Amino acid sequence: MNSVVRQLLVQNTDVVIIDTGDSYEGNNRFFDGAYITYSKENPISMNPFKIEEREYLENFGEKKNFLKALLFLIYKGNEEPDKIEEFIINQTLIEYYQAYFNPFKGYTEEERQTLRKKLLIQDKTNGKFEEYESELENDNDNESLREIEDLSDDDAQNKIKRKVEKLHNLVNDKSATDGEKANAGKALIKLMPELVENKYLIRIDKKIDKMEARRKNLKVTSLSFNTYYEYAVQRIPQIMAEKSIKFEINKFSTILEPFYKGGELEDMLNSDIDKSLFEEKFIIFEIDRIKEDKILFPIVVLIIMDVFLQKMRLKRGRKALIIEEAWKAISTPTMAEYIKYLYKTVRKFNGIAGVVTQELNDVIDSPIVKDAIISNSEIKILMDQSKFKDRYDEISDVLGLTQQQRQQIFTINNLNNKENRPYFKEVWICRGQESDVFGVEEPPECYWTYTTERLEKEALKIYEKHYGSIVDAIKHIEIDRKSNGCMKYLDFAREVNKQQNVSELWEK
């Protein structure tokens, strides 16, 4: 992958890598990139909730889906949210950003009418309207008449009031015949449902007034996890009451609390990222120190992916996101849709998304990988797979390989084609339906750049200290290795470390 990264960089591609083990540290130093190491003591501070008005207007749907994924990752972990949870978090995010960009001033008459209909249907469904109807039926006639006076004064309701008054007077008119009274009583019974519904709307209007007052009091003056948390823990109980639905608000607020003011992880989601990072051509986020943290690790991976998406929209040209073993942290049912969205969005902005794994078992054993990653990957690169030969039927099914492609893969590094050639490794590359095995040969200078051997890296630093730059160090360390009889890289590195100096200054 170091070879792929180098080629991307020399082709003027911006590269962001999420790594868990210093695999690309030498490459990063060679290209003078930004290398950011995450630890609990020195966390990567970001503010994924902060967006500009333009992004709100143009890409809010995408941002909202990311924030939902983030919140559910914190709240539910690998567990999938239910429909009510999905609805409530979605609603709070919509209203939270509306409160910031378009502060709530009150419902329009059209919105009130829509709410009246929704709330009336809701109360007819949950039985509250029926209870009220029964109460009215038990009232005496005079009480019903007095209640009529409370109706609002629009034309439709005035018409009902006049009809009811006329009929009620007829029923109580001593000069009226029994037949007239009976007919008036029947007419009143027919009008009662409409009367009851209009009377019930008075209650609903009062409820809407309360909802309006509560919404006006919920203000958002800045965007961060802190202000979202404050908004959500106030708004969710209101939504529960308005919709007559249940949500574990105490559990939700408790699980998210460590990320809020005064919490252990407060800085993680409330501090703006250094904008200068967006100008860097090559960024590595090294998060090996938290890879065992089941809470932090997937959250950090997700947030870095969002940083990449922001960078991708802001910058012209080609961009690449490479996720090393860290992708395992987000290959969950909760994250599947977001990973699909990432791939599709990246392509829209002239970008590349890639995942790297050392073990094909990860591919075989995760349906999420197949649905969210493999199905959206146009290019697949495999190295020597001989140790997986016994499981290759499963692997072929997951990767969608033809019989010819399987045969190609099993020739990797197995052909007698090494004689009289420099050292090279073979890889299988597939793009669409086209595939073949290729030899990858890199110059020795690249080996010194890519190496992860501790002794070789230490030897290179000795040369870098002497020559002042990693570029000059790589050039001279290879010249010296060859001038010392083309020693093996590791053997030469041992001697450099033993002498603690460059070759020309060794004690003979």
Side-chain angles (χ1 to χ4, degrees):
M1 276 307 297
N2 266 296
S3 179
V4 172
V5 170
R6 180 181 65 79
Q7 291 176 58
L8 288 170
L9 289 165
V10 297
Q11 292 167 14
N12 203 33
T13 303
D14 281 23
V15 177
V16 175
I17 298 178
I18 307 175
D19 192 20
T20 55
D22 286 337
S23 307
Y24 304 91
E25 189 261 347
N27 232 344
N28 186 262
R29 287 170 60 222
F30 184 89
F31 285 98
D32 195 26
Y35 199 87
I36 301 169
T37 301
Y38 188 100
S39 68
K40 288 183 179 179
E41 297 72 31
N42 296 294
I44 302 168
S45 297
M46 301 177 189
N47 184 358
F49 286 82
K50 187 173 182 178
I51 60 175
E52 302 298 329
E53 187 169 15
R54 181 179 173 184
E55 186 178 1
Y56 174 68
L57 294 172
E58 295 178 2
N59 299 302
F60 178 65
E62 296 173 359
K63 186 68 174 182
K64 176 167 64 74
N65 289 338
F66 160 73
L67 291 172
K68 276 198 298 184
L70 173 63
L71 290 166
F72 281 126
L73 192 58
I74 299 171
Y75 175 46
K76 305 282 288 185
N78 292 340
E79 186 182 341
E80 214 166 345
D82 62 37
K83 298 294 184 184
I84 295 297
E85 291 169 333
E86 174 81 22
F87 165 78
I88 284 182
I89 298 305
N90 188 73
Q91 188 68 20
T92 58
L93 285 168
I94 290 171
E95 292 181 5
Y96 169 74
Y97 282 99
Q98 283 178 344
Y100 180 75
F101 289 107
N102 302 297
F104 182 73
K105 295 182 174 65
Y107 297 118
T108 65
E109 187 52 41
E110 186 179 349
E111 287 171 333
R112 277 182 166 272
Q113 288 288 3
T114 301
L115 274 172
R116 283 189 192 103
K117 290 177 184 177
K118 281 185 179 179
L119 293 172
L120 181 61
I121 291 170
Q122 181 179 301
D123 283 1
K124 283 183 176 179
T125 304
N126 62 29
K128 288 184 179 179
F129 180 83
E130 191 175 349
E131 289 175 12
Y132 180 76
E133 198 173 28
S134 298
E135 288 173 13
L136 277 189
E137 286 176 0
N138 294 327
D139 286 345
N140 59 47
D141 291 339
N142 290 330
E143 182 67 22
S144 296
L145 258 182
R146 284 196 299 273
E147 297 260 0
I148 291 170
E149 301 303 322
D150 293 329
L151 288 171
S152 58
D153 291 330
D154 62 44
D155 290 342
Q157 295 199 28
N158 275 325
K159 188 175 180 182
I160 295 171
K161 283 166 65 176
R162 288 194 296 272
K163 280 185 180 180
V164 171
E165 287 170 358
K166 184 177 179 181
L167 291 168
H168 198 273
N169 289 334
L170 185 58
V171 169
N172 292 299
D173 188 350
K174 292 180 181 180
S175 63
T177 64
D178 289 342
E180 287 173 331
K181 290 180 180 182
N183 288 334
K186 288 177 183 178
L188 274 172
I189 291 170
K190 287 181 180 179
L191 278 173
M192 278 304 292
E194 195 173 351
L195 171 66
V196 171
E197 186 167 302
N198 277 279
K199 278 165 55 59
Y200 196 79
L201 286 173
I202 298 169
R203 287 189 172 192
I204 286 179
D205 278 332
K206 290 177 180 177
K207 186 175 182 179
I208 292 171
D209 289 340
K210 289 179 181 178
M211 289 166 57
E212 185 177 66
R214 287 195 295 259
R215 286 281 301 277
K216 283 180 179 178
N217 288 332
L218 281 174
K219 301 184 188 307
V220 178
T221 56
S222 63
L223 297 175
S224 65
F225 175 81
N226 281 343
T227 57
Y228 170 76
Y229 180 86
E230 290 165 356
Y231 186 93
V233 295
Q234 293 177 78
R235 182 64 184 132
I236 290 173
Q238 296 173 9
I239 296 173
M240 291 163 60
E242 291 165 10
K243 301 288 184 183
S244 299
I245 54 179
K246 292 182 180 179
F247 180 88
E248 294 185 273
I249 181 61
N250 291 332
K251 180 180 175 182
F252 175 79
S253 61
T254 301
I255 291 173
L256 269 65
E257 194 172 357
F259 298 87
Y260 179 61
K261 289 176 187 174
E264 180 187 2
L265 303 170
E266 175 189 355
D267 291 338
M268 188 173 177
L269 302 178
N270 291 291
S271 301
D272 293 350
I273 193 168
D274 182 358
K275 290 293 185 184
S276 66
L277 279 180
F278 292 131
E279 301 306 317
E280 296 282 354
K281 292 292 294 180
F282 188 15
I283 309 171
I284 293 179
F285 292 96
E286 213 310 301
I287 55 175
D288 188 63
R289 294 185 188 179
I290 58 164
K291 68 181 179 183
E292 303 304 325
D293 192 314
K294 293 181 180 178
I295 296 174
L296 273 185
F297 190 57
I299 294 170
V300 172
V301 173
L302 185 60
I303 293 171
I304 293 170
M305 287 164 61
D306 184 58
V307 171
F308 171 77
L309 289 177
Q310 291 179 52
K311 177 184 176 75
M312 186 179 63
R313 292 191 184 97
L314 287 171
K315 294 200 73 176
R316 295 182 180 275
R318 192 165 62 165
K319 287 81 54 174
L321 172 67
I322 296 170
I323 309 173
E324 272 277 347
E325 301 295 322
W327 66 267
K328 295 177 192 175
I330 55 172
S331 58
T332 65
T334 311
M335 293 303 303
E337 288 304 315
Y338 182 75
I339 295 171
K340 290 179 188 176
Y341 149 73
L342 171 75
Y343 269 84
K344 290 174 183 174
T345 306
V346 163
R347 284 197 288 268
K348 283 195 297 185
F349 288 89
N350 193 25
I352 302 166
V355 297
V356 182
T357 182
Q358 303 295 325
E359 295 291 337
L360 268 181
N361 288 332
D362 298 330
V363 174
I364 300 168
D365 298 332
S366 174
I368 305 302
V369 176
K370 180 180 179 182
D371 294 339
I373 296 177
I374 294 174
S375 298
N376 287 288
S377 298
E378 184 183 357
I379 299 173
K380 304 175 185 73
I381 301 174
L382 294 179
M383 298 181 75
D384 189 346
Q385 302 300 313
S386 55
K387 68 177 180 178
F388 295 105
K389 202 161 189 174
D390 293 339
R391 296 192 70 183
Y392 231 75
D393 285 340
E394 298 171 74
I395 294 169
S396 295
D397 289 342
V398 173
L399 295 178
L401 303 179
T402 66
Q403 187 61 35
Q404 179 188 4
Q405 288 173 332
R406 290 180 61 179
Q407 291 170 351
Q408 289 173 345
I409 290 166
F410 288 129
T411 68
I412 296 174
N413 295 333
N414 284 325
L415 298 181
N416 187 20
N417 58 354
K418 311 291 187 298
E419 196 171 333
N420 298 320
R421 294 177 64 178
Y423 175 77
F424 66 93
K425 279 190 175 181
E426 292 181 342
V427 297
W428 177 77
I429 301 175
C430 175
R431 182 172 184 177
Q433 296 302 310
E434 299 295 322
S435 64
D436 212 334
V437 177
F438 300 87
V440 178
E441 180 184 346
E442 288 273 46
E445 289 80 5
C446 285
Y447 176 83
W448 286 110
T449 307
Y450 305 157
T451 182
T452 56
E453 283 284 347
R454 182 179 59 82
L455 291 175
E456 292 170 352
K457 289 168 77 77
E458 287 175 358
L460 185 59
K461 286 178 181 177
I462 290 171
Y463 268 74
E464 186 177 354
K465 183 178 179 181
H466 180 81
Y467 288 102
S469 76
I470 189 171
V471 175
D472 288 335
I474 287 167
K475 182 174 79 172
H476 285 93
I477 199 171
E478 180 54 23
I479 291 171
D480 289 352
R481 184 187 73 87
K482 289 175 179 175
S483 67
N484 279 274
C486 285
M487 295 170 67
K488 289 184 177 179
Y489 295 97
L490 190 56
D491 291 339
F492 184 72
R494 283 195 180 101
E495 192 61 32
V496 173
N497 291 321
K498 178 183 174 183
Q499 298 280 349
Q500 284 295 297
N501 221 326
V502 298
S503 175
E504 64 183 50
L505 298 177
W506 287 356
E507 294 180 8
K508 303 299 181 185

